Amino acid sequence: TSASGDYFVTAYDTLGNCPSQTAMQNVTVNPSPVITSVSTNNPTTCGGTEGYIVLNGLLPNNTYEVHYQKNSSAYYLTLTSDGSGNITITNLNVGAYSSIYVISSLSCSSNIMAGPFTLVDPPKPATPNLSSNAPLCSGSSLNFAVSIT
């Protein structure tokens, strides 16, 4: 159900003509968090851990248990959303991140952002072109010329 409030139940005998006293139960329905979007930022160095993933649309300044998978291994950590309702998962390296969701302090789960959200290393520099004055005689100087195109 999605509505908090008082719920009432009355029991009847099998003939339907003898009702019990009505029982009442007050029910509180806590809202489930909603992740509206996910953005990523790749590491800035090869093999580095400067990458991050941002979860948007959560309630501001709330603590959540953040769950995700990386290359099919499950991870979780506790993080607090910023004043805009964003959570940033930091210190990430390259890999495919998926099945991202949060659990609120009231134990309510969010929607699952399936992904994958793939972080990659920055582009590698071009392979240098290398030439030399070889072959050469013993005792001669070896000279290299390097260029990158």
Side-chain angles (χ1 to χ4, degrees), residues 33 58-59 62-66 77-79 81 87 102-104:
L58 299 165
L59 293 175
N62 275 264
T63 299
Y64 296 93
E65 191 173 275
V66 179
L77 59 157
T78 301
L79 295 171
S81 59
I87 287 181
V102 299
I103 299 175
S104 70

Side-chain angles (χ1 to χ4, degrees), residues 29-145:
V29 177
N30 296 313
S32 293
V34 176
I35 302 170
T36 57
S37 63
V38 174
S39 60
T40 62
N41 197 41
N42 292 317
T44 57
T45 60
C46 289
T49 58
E50 307 87 8
Y52 59 88
I53 295 175
V54 180
L55 311 179
N56 304 296
L58 299 165
L59 293 175
N61 305 311
N62 275 264
T63 299
Y64 296 93
E65 191 173 275
V66 179
H67 293 255
Y68 63 91
Q69 288 190 357
K70 179 190 173 206
N71 302 332
S72 301
S73 295
Y75 297 88
Y76 77 92
L77 59 157
T78 301
L79 295 171
T80 301
S81 59
D82 64 19
S84 298
N86 303 317
I87 287 181
T88 303
I89 308 169
T90 59
N91 301 318
L92 300 178
N93 60 0
V94 299
Y97 296 82
S98 62
S99 301
I100 302 172
Y101 68 97
V102 299
I103 299 175
S104 70
S105 59
L106 299 171
S107 299
C108 297
S109 293
S110 74
N111 53 313
I112 297 174
M113 302 303 277
F117 305 97
T118 303
L119 300 184
V120 296
D121 276 331
K124 295 178 182 173
T127 302
N129 296 314
L130 180 63
S131 62
S132 72
N133 62 336
L136 55 113
C137 296
S138 175
S140 299
S141 294
L142 175 62
N143 298 311
F144 288 105

